[in-house]
Amino acid sequence: MIGSELDAAGVHDPALREAYRRCRTINAEHGRTFFLATRLLAPEQRPAVHALYGFARRADDILDDFDPVVSMSERAEQLQRLATELFNCLAQGSCDDDDPTLAAVVHCARRYDIPWELFDDFLGSMRMDLTVTDYPDRAALDRYMYGSAEVIGLQLLPVLGTVGPPEEAAPYAAALGKAFQLTNFLRDIDEDLERGRVYLPADELAAHGVDRDVLTWCRENRRTDAKVRRALVEQHAINRRVYDYARRGIAQLRPRSRPCVTAALTLYSEILDRIEEIDFAVFSQRASVGVGRRIRVGGTGLVKAWAARHRDHRV
């Protein structure tokens, strides 16, 4: 299957094909919902999405590896080395590095003319994770999320294609990346605390009498305190509004890309439904969308994706 995707994408160099294959494996192993949605794209689009995911995961792994032997200074050095290698490869037009994620993402970025500053912004937010563990207000969190989430949507936009000027679709693409990450912050609050981080605005939590100590108590006791629940309900509503805004941008994408984005938005926003259904007990269980539901959404998306591609070929 991956061979036919690479053929459709015009990737014939054996080393480059292997790099894309590795990125696809990373996506399949770690991005269940994202990988399913990627399957709804046209075959020639899929390798680029795998490459972008693989690179983002490569950087994220530097930060979130639980190995206590690796110090923050060592992680900073690894991240800087990755950034240096990336921009050297982008300037050269190819990559001789052994890291397959670099070879694939460089090829992808140059093919789709993805602005290099988006990668710089992404790596900038990754550097923040080395030293920043709390965000005092929404503005500070938004600055972090621009580089860590919104730019992912902007990187994907040239691959997805638009029916009008890309700059008109860009705010919605950025909002979708932001919505996905806000969902992660709510679902993974317990896991983030284990890493010493809180990705919720401190002033908005404080309005409900919540601080890091209260969140830590919830984690240690595997229960959601009443005031924490009220704070999470507010964050949940904010996340919903971001999804509502992002959904309006789907119509600005090329028809063949809409089923993919619709499926991803549907499944990820339904994590919010699960959080609500478990009454915000995010310290004792992980909210997730069941396999059956993912299959149903994916199946519907496949039919719509096939029809959209068929119409494209007829035009």
Side-chain angles (χ1 to χ4, degrees):
M1 182 65 75
I2 181 62
S4 61
E5 292 175 0
L6 292 170
D7 290 340
V11 180
H12 304 297
D13 178 78
L16 193 55
R17 287 171 72 91
E18 183 55 34
Y20 273 107
R21 285 192 182 95
R22 178 55 187 151
C23 289
R24 184 184 188 275
T25 299
I26 293 170
N27 194 353
E29 289 178 352
H30 300 286
R32 292 183 305 173
T33 299
F34 193 77
F35 182 75
L36 173 63
T38 303
R39 300 291 303 146
L40 305 182
L41 291 172
E44 64 268 23
Q45 293 174 294
R46 296 172 198 163
V49 178
H50 296 319
L52 290 167
Y53 181 92
F55 177 75
R57 184 76 194 192
R58 171 77 179 82
D60 197 53
D61 283 347
I62 292 174
L63 301 165
D64 289 340
D65 181 0
F66 277 107
D67 188 349
V69 176
V70 183
S71 67
M72 281 299 176
S73 61
E74 290 174 302
R75 294 178 196 274
E77 289 174 6
Q78 291 175 19
L79 197 59
Q80 183 56 51
R81 186 159 55 248
L82 179 66
T84 299
E85 291 169 352
L86 170 67
F87 289 108
N88 284 343
C89 291
L90 284 170
Q92 295 166 5
S94 63
C95 193
D96 297 326
D97 193 272
D98 292 334
D99 189 336
T101 59
L102 280 177
V105 81
V106 166
H107 180 266
C108 165
R110 293 183 67 89
R111 175 178 178 178
Y112 286 96
D113 198 24
I114 299 173
W116 296 6
E117 60 264 27
L118 295 178
F119 295 99
D120 194 35
D121 290 333
F122 169 74
L123 291 166
S125 283
M126 294 302 97
R127 291 187 190 95
M128 290 176 66
D129 271 329
L130 293 168
T131 57
V132 180
T133 58
D134 299 89
Y135 294 86
D137 50 36
R138 179 69 53 180
L141 183 63
D142 282 346
R143 284 192 292 274
Y144 169 78
M145 285 194 295
Y146 175 76
S148 62
E150 293 185 32
V151 298
I152 304 300
L154 296 174
Q155 288 171 356
L156 285 168
L157 197 56
V159 180
L160 300 174
T162 61
V163 294
E167 58 269 21
E168 292 183 5
Y172 301 102
L176 188 59
K178 182 178 183 178
F180 289 168
Q181 189 168 63
L182 285 171
T183 301
N184 286 340
F185 291 163
L186 284 170
R187 182 193 62 191
D188 300 336
I189 186 171
D190 181 71
E191 185 177 310
D192 290 333
L193 275 168
E194 186 177 0
R195 296 189 175 104
R197 302 175 191 147
V198 176
Y199 291 109
L200 299 173
D203 61 341
E204 295 175 19
L205 296 179
H208 296 276
V210 176
D211 59 15
R212 177 183 281 267
D213 289 341
V214 174
L215 294 175
T216 300
W217 182 92
C218 291
R219 182 174 185 276
E220 291 173 348
N221 290 275
R222 319 309 299 167
R223 56 172 291 189
T224 303
D225 177 271
K227 54 182 172 288
V228 171
R229 184 187 180 282
R230 289 193 292 271
L232 295 182
V233 167
E234 180 181 62
Q235 298 301 313
H236 187 277
I238 291 170
N239 197 173
R240 284 282 190 208
R241 290 195 291 272
V242 180
Y243 275 114
D244 290 342
Y245 176 79
R247 188 177 287 108
R248 288 157 48 191
I250 293 177
Q252 298 196 35
L253 300 175
R254 288 190 62 183
R256 68 175 185 168
S257 296
R258 293 173 193 168
C260 164
V261 176
T262 298
L265 187 152
T266 298
L267 291 173
Y268 237 85
S269 65
E270 286 186 6
I271 294 174
L272 292 183
D273 296 339
R274 302 292 89 78
I275 291 173
E276 201 166 22
E277 287 171 4
I278 64 174
D279 199 29
F280 296 87
V282 291
F283 297 94
S284 58
Q285 52 189 301
R286 181 180 175 85
S288 62
V289 177
V291 174
R293 176 59 177 163
R294 293 203 302 272
I295 291 173
R296 288 193 296 275
V297 172
T300 300
L302 277 173
V303 173
K304 293 180 177 178
W306 179 87
R309 292 201 293 272
H310 185 64
R311 286 194 296 270
D312 271 1
H313 288 312
R314 290 171 56 189
V315 173

